[in-house]
Amino acid sequence: MELFQAKDHYILQQDERALWCSRRDGSLHLRPATDLLLAWNPICLGLVEGVIGKIQLHSDLPWWLILIRQKALVGKLPGDHEVCKVTKIAVLSLSEMEPQDLELELCKKHHFGINKPEKIIPSPDDSKFLLKTFTHIKSNVSAPNKKKVKESKEKEKLERRLLEELLKMFMDSESFYYSLTYDLTNSVQRQSAGERDPCPLWQKVDDRFFWNKYMIQDLTEIGTPDVDFWIIPIIQGFVQIEELVVNYNESSDDEKSSPETPPQESPCVDDIHPRFLVALISRRSRHRAGMRYKRRGVDKNGNVANYVETEQLIHVHNHTLSFIQTRGSVPVFWSQVGYRYNPRPRLDRSEKDTVAYFCAHFEEQLKIYKKQVIINLVDQAGREKIIGDAYLKQVLLFNNSHLTYVSFDFHEHCRGMKFENVQTLTDAIYDIILDMKWCWVDQAGVICKQEGIFRVNCMDCLDRTNVVQAAIARVVMEQQLKKLGVMPPEQPLPVKCNRIYQIMWANNGDSISRQYAGTAALKGDFTRTGERKLAGVMKDGVNSANRYYLNRFKDAYRQAVIDLMQGIPVTEDLYSIFTKEKEHEALHKENQRSHQELISQLLQSYMKLLLPDNEKFHGGWALIDCDPSLIDATHRDVDVLLLLSNSAYYVAYYDDEVDKVNQYQRLSLEDLEKIEIGPEPTLFGKAKFSCMRLHYRYKEASGYFHTLRAVMRNPEEDGKGRAANLMKTSLASDLKIKALWPREKNF
């Protein structure tokens, strides 16, 4: 559709339809396309894909119109329904301010002979470009009727900051999806129940997942059929669609394509091997939406943080099979308060005061899904125990026969990277999985329905939750394919199918983590692992407590934008945060200079404390234990000090709650069997770091090891091999045991 700029309006037009957006009061109106002739000097700015809605960043500031500037086709769902991802947006101030260069695709009708728009201020980064032009525009606009407070530099900076977060949400995370013909908010089962409903698509959506509902409210309230064309329901979440081929003859080594781009099968394969479509659709609730440390637990309406419904959809010929699961924060009042790294969770209300809201949450869930099987993955000991215990008590008080509670201490069962132990859980609930069934429809209608869902949670409902949901979904998919005759009864999923399937779930987990963990996972920001407090020392590119503190400021801005998108008043004093952030940036820079000195002092202190007098100290390192069974998206890496003497090495575990070492291991170098260097083991997806693994014997038994990686000195450094190479050099030169070192390899 074409976007025009007139004196008092922005006008969107396609065929005989036009939407006029006032530059005076931000109102939206439908008008005939012929009314363009009545506009004052309309200029075509280019083409856009659709309207997301409008947002007001401050009550004293103008509305901003958000348009889909660029989309990417994700794939097609059964019925030839296209699903698109929003990749770029255009943001227009509904005021008299002149628009910046939007870099829109030019329409051939009004820009004949011009291939691409001229860029006034070139910049490879859309958000940075917008900020530059925003300042330029603001300084050149004459607006005597604006309030004095709008002329304040602080308010202008705050508006820019919020606008930057808005752009990052849509363009950095790539987590918003839509379809013009398919209801992405509803599962196949819910759609089949209302397929005779003649209402337009946007009126049939599930309100929980209609993310731009508030932003598009001006249009939904018009109430005439003409408005249907302009309303595009947007979901936040994840969608991936792949076509898989069941081929047991292919070699598992034939996987030259990257994990991000699964291999494409040749057209003739379908004649020999069965082919099926698999889609993964995750829908994040817009209720209690927000950032990890800003939104935890339940609210007064029974909504929980990080609530996501994930649907796995299989399509073979005319059969579509769907299985859904949900995840969501533990539905009690709890939080993690403070700006230290990974603060200890706490309960904010008593057991008695929580009952009504816990009941409200599950009564709503049972109304929608009929039955619930809770899979609680939080640790049954340590700092998470308080949350797990509160959850179980509320379940017992609720005492509903349609609610089943299963506890599985993921970290305990999967310690030492034994992720195959998740099968212990799926085996234990196998009969429940089969009894739950799945939704199955064909051209004639519904064959069977899913009866209940699994509601999986850990603390953040991210990494652990994703692993378990993928395991449950795989059991279901194999059963579905065997029922359809696509897979032999006694065969597992083929290697290549399994590989692509795992990648899809890995991508799903990464996307949900970016949306909830926020800036920690965005491009150009610091990574999701490796940051904890170590005696006040800056870590991971000098990024521990202070960098974490700075990140919490960013969470405040992102949370404010999410609230504004949903029409929720912003309660946090953003001006105060803006001032504190500048103060802390100065402290952050000052602490960078003393980083190495503090590390050195810490190592020297524990060297004197742990090493006996008859051992000679050769070196020490502050490292990170990256055993993935200990890692969750809460950045729960374990800080360790690795000390090396002439006869032993020490692995000292650091407790950030009390700022001291609370346990350590002394291992004789004679028991050190080998040291390997390779990519950091991960639950899913591609490794971000390299690390080393120290294999040792314990009581004459082999099979024990430590997996460690280095602390990066600066954000640009990828940390590959730093600790391993340092220690390798020290061991080889000082201890003369080069024979211990095998050829570098992946583990």
Side-chain angles (χ1 to χ4, degrees):
M1 61 185 66
E2 298 162 316
L3 172 64
F4 293 89
Q5 174 193 348
K7 180 182 178 182
D8 297 324
H9 293 86
Y10 287 110
I11 303 167
L12 290 159
Q13 187 163 315
Q14 182 166 329
D15 301 327
E16 301 303 316
R17 306 177 181 89
L19 176 65
W20 287 50
C21 312
S22 173
R23 299 176 65 183
R24 294 187 179 276
D25 58 13
S27 59
L28 307 180
H29 302 281
L30 301 180
R31 296 177 64 169
T34 52
D35 279 7
L36 185 65
L37 299 173
L38 305 177
W40 182 271
N41 190 27
I43 300 170
C44 181
L45 300 178
L47 300 175
V48 296
E49 300 291 342
V51 181
I52 294 175
K54 64 179 189 177
I55 188 172
Q56 190 176 29
L57 300 175
H58 192 282
S59 58
D60 294 330
L61 299 175
W63 288 87
W64 291 84
L65 181 67
I66 309 173
L67 306 173
I68 303 172
R69 172 156 67 99
Q70 192 176 97
K71 66 180 181 182
L73 178 65
V74 175
K76 293 184 179 181
L77 291 171
D80 213 32
H81 298 288
E82 290 189 348
V83 178
C84 296
K85 175 169 59 178
V86 178
T87 56
K88 291 185 179 180
I89 61 170
V91 184
L92 287 168
S93 177
L94 294 179
S95 66
E96 297 176 355
M97 180 191 302
E98 287 299 311
Q100 67 276 14
D101 179 11
L102 300 174
E103 299 187 6
L104 301 179
E105 179 185 348
L106 300 183
C107 70
K108 296 179 180 178
K109 181 171 35 173
H110 299 98
H111 301 270
F112 181 75
I114 302 176
N115 294 323
K116 57 176 72 172
E118 295 181 6
K119 297 181 182 180
I120 299 173
I121 304 177
S123 172
D125 186 304
D126 287 288
S127 60
K128 290 180 181 177
F129 169 70
L130 187 141
L131 295 182
K132 289 178 183 177
T133 55
F134 184 92
T135 305
H136 175 76
I137 293 162
K138 293 283 272 187
S139 63
N140 285 282
V141 172
S142 175
N145 61 332
K146 292 182 179 179
K147 294 182 180 180
K148 186 175 181 180
V149 67
K150 282 185 62 179
E151 298 172 356
S152 163
K153 289 185 178 180
E154 289 298 307
K155 179 172 288 190
E156 184 178 307
K157 288 178 181 178
L158 180 59
E159 184 183 24
R160 287 210 314 261
R161 195 60 177 272
L162 293 174
L163 198 59
E164 178 186 6
E165 288 301 321
L166 176 68
L167 287 162
K168 283 183 177 180
M169 275 194 68
F170 279 95
M171 298 198 292
D172 284 2
S173 63
E174 294 188 344
S175 59
F176 291 90
Y177 299 82
Y178 70 94
S179 173
L180 298 178
T181 58
Y182 187 86
D183 183 3
L184 288 175
T185 70
N186 273 306
S187 65
V188 170
Q189 184 159 313
R190 291 198 296 271
Q191 289 186 52
S192 63
E195 60 186 356
R196 297 181 183 277
D197 189 344
C199 293
L201 180 67
W202 69 270
Q203 291 184 4
K204 295 188 285 187
V205 298
D206 190 321
D207 181 76
R208 297 174 296 168
F209 310 119
F210 188 177
W211 254 75
N212 59 328
K213 179 181 179 180
Y214 176 76
M215 291 187 285
I216 207 77
Q217 189 173 354
D218 281 15
L219 293 181
T220 59
E221 291 177 349
I222 290 177
T224 62
D226 294 341
V227 80
D228 298 341
F229 172 81
W230 299 101
I231 301 174
I232 303 175
I234 306 284
I235 68 164
Q236 187 187 37
F238 174 78
V239 182
Q240 186 169 344
I241 304 168
E242 299 291 343
E243 193 170 49
L244 306 185
V245 177
V246 180
N247 181 4
Y248 289 97
N249 298 322
E250 65 188 355
S251 170
S252 61
D253 295 328
D254 184 24
E255 296 178 1
K256 297 180 180 179
S257 58
S258 67
E260 289 77 14
T261 55
Q264 299 296 316
E265 303 294 338
S266 59
C268 63
V269 171
D270 195 37
D271 298 333
I272 306 171
H273 304 290
R275 180 186 293 263
F276 67 96
L277 179 141
V278 59
L280 207 55
I281 304 172
S282 283
R283 316 168 174 101
R284 289 178 57 81
S285 174
R286 66 185 183 89
H287 302 302
R288 195 153 177 75
M291 310 309 296
R292 177 174 52 195
Y293 290 109
K294 297 294 183 182
R295 293 291 181 268
R296 293 289 206 189
V298 72
D299 66 11
K300 294 180 180 179
N301 297 315
N303 301 309
V304 295
N306 200 23
Y307 183 90
V308 182
E309 179 187 83
T310 299
E311 179 177 21
Q312 182 175 278
L313 188 150
I314 305 292
H315 182 73
V316 182
H317 301 302
N318 295 320
H319 296 266
T320 301
L321 297 86
S322 159
F323 183 76
I324 59 175
Q325 303 177 73
T326 62
R327 68 179 75 189
S329 191
V330 175
V332 299
F333 290 95
W334 67 280
S335 60
Q336 287 177 279
V337 179
Y339 288 101
R340 67 177 298 130
Y341 188 83
N342 192 19
R344 186 176 291 276
R346 73 178 192 188
L347 294 174
D348 297 326
R349 291 200 185 185
S350 68
E351 180 183 295
K352 182 179 178 181
D353 291 342
T354 302
V355 170
Y357 308 103
F358 182 93
C359 292
H361 173 71
F362 275 108
E363 284 170 359
E364 177 69 15
Q365 294 299 295
L366 293 175
K367 180 181 177 182
I368 298 170
Y369 301 110
K370 311 307 178 188
K371 296 178 182 179
Q372 292 260 307
V373 179
I374 296 169
I375 308 291
N376 183 16
L377 305 175
V378 304
D379 295 349
Q380 295 175 25
R383 59 194 297 158
E384 296 183 2
K385 186 177 186 297
I386 186 175
I387 305 301
D389 288 350
Y391 199 177
L392 178 56
K393 288 178 182 177
Q394 291 295 328
V395 170
L396 294 173
L397 290 170
F398 188 56
N399 192 26
N400 191 301
S401 60
H402 296 298
L403 199 65
T404 303
Y405 180 88
V406 178
S407 181
F408 183 78
D409 191 329
F410 184 94
H411 286 151
E412 180 63 30
H413 285 86
C414 300
R415 188 171 298 277
M417 298 185 302
K418 296 179 180 178
F419 304 119
E420 65 273 14
N421 289 349
V422 171
Q423 188 174 342
T424 305
L425 172 63
T426 55
D427 288 346
I429 62 173
Y430 185 74
D431 290 340
I432 299 177
I433 296 174
L434 296 185
D435 290 343
M436 193 173 287
K437 306 178 194 174
W438 51 78
C439 177
W440 185 349
V441 299
D442 64 5
Q443 289 179 322
V446 179
I447 297 174
C448 76
K449 294 182 179 181
Q450 181 176 340
E451 299 176 359
I453 60 162
F454 289 101
R455 184 199 190 278
V456 187
N457 73 274
C458 49
M459 290 296 282
D460 288 333
C461 304
L462 295 175
D463 286 359
R464 283 176 282 181
T465 295
N466 205 63
V467 171
V468 170
Q469 285 196 336
I472 294 172
R474 176 174 170 164
V475 172
V476 172
M477 184 172 71
E478 289 184 347
Q479 290 296 318
Q480 291 172 334
L481 295 176
K482 289 172 183 177
K483 286 279 187 182
L484 292 168
V486 176
M487 278 177 57
E490 302 302 324
Q491 288 278 9
L493 199 64
V495 173
K496 189 173 285 188
C497 287
N498 184 57
R499 172 178 169 270
I500 298 173
Y501 174 80
Q502 285 184 318
I503 291 167
M504 291 179 70
W505 273 95
N507 292 341
N508 178 66
D510 287 346
S511 184
I512 293 173
S513 181
R514 281 195 298 269
Q515 294 156 26
Y516 189 46
T519 52
L522 293 179
K523 295 176 183 177
D525 223 316
F526 54 96
T527 60
R528 287 191 297 158
T529 58
E531 299 133 340
R532 286 189 87 181
K533 182 168 165 268
L534 184 55
V537 179
M538 300 303 294
K539 288 183 46 176
D540 206 349
V542 210
N543 277 340
S544 78
N546 278 332
R547 183 61 183 269
Y548 172 69
Y549 190 36
L550 291 174
N551 195 54
R552 294 290 294 273
F553 286 127
K554 296 178 183 178
D555 281 358
Y557 299 123
R558 177 65 61 90
Q559 185 65 55
V561 169
I562 292 172
D563 288 344
L564 291 167
M565 288 173 67
Q566 303 306 327
I568 300 170
V570 177
T571 57
E572 197 153 11
D573 184 355
L574 295 179
Y575 287 108
S576 174
I577 289 175
F578 192 79
T579 303
K580 289 178 182 177
E581 182 181 20
K582 290 190 293 185
E583 293 173 355
H584 206 79
E585 281 176 350
L587 178 62
H588 174 67
K589 292 177 181 177
E590 181 181 340
N591 283 343
Q592 288 183 22
R593 292 190 289 268
S594 59
H595 167 64
Q596 290 302 323
E597 294 179 10
L598 291 172
I599 284 280
S600 178
Q601 291 173 11
L602 187 70
L603 291 170
Q604 289 293 328
S605 297
Y606 280 102
M607 178 270 292
K608 295 176 182 177
L609 183 66
L610 299 179
L611 269 64
D613 294 337
N614 61 347
E615 289 186 20
K616 182 181 178 182
F617 180 62
H618 279 279
W621 300 267
L623 301 176
I624 295 164
D625 187 336
C626 52
D627 180 343
S629 68
L630 302 176
I631 300 171
D632 202 356
T634 53
H635 305 188
R636 297 185 61 230
D637 297 306
V638 179
D639 291 328
V640 298
L641 301 177
L642 181 61
L643 305 177
L644 179 64
S645 76
N646 60 327
S647 58
Y649 71 91
Y650 296 75
V651 179
Y653 292 86
Y654 185 83
D655 186 347
D656 69 332
E657 292 293 327
V658 293
D659 275 347
K660 69 180 182 181
V661 167
N662 59 5
Q663 59 177 320
Y664 73 94
Q665 277 183 283
R666 181 188 183 278
L667 297 159
S668 171
L669 291 178
E670 293 179 356
D671 292 327
L672 183 62
E673 294 181 313
K674 64 178 177 178
I675 301 176
E676 295 177 310
I677 301 173
E680 177 185 16
T682 59
L683 299 179
F684 274 128
K686 196 174 181 179
K688 297 182 176 69
F689 302 99
S690 286
C691 60
M692 67 176 177
R693 183 172 290 166
L694 308 176
H695 292 262
Y696 64 92
R697 292 187 301 273
Y698 178 69
K699 294 183 179 179
E700 302 303 322
S702 298
Y704 295 90
F705 55 83
H706 295 288
T707 306
L708 309 171
R709 74 167 172 84
V711 177
M712 295 187 295
R713 293 178 184 273
N714 57 68
E716 289 74 29
E717 190 175 335
D718 67 359
K720 291 183 178 179
R722 168 170 292 276
N725 290 333
L726 283 172
M727 186 177 178
K728 180 174 178 179
T729 301
S730 180
L731 280 170
S733 61
D734 294 340
L735 303 178
K736 314 295 184 186
I737 53 171
K738 294 182 181 179
L740 272 177
W741 295 90
R743 181 183 179 88
E744 291 189 3
K745 59 181 180 180
N746 295 346
F747 29 80

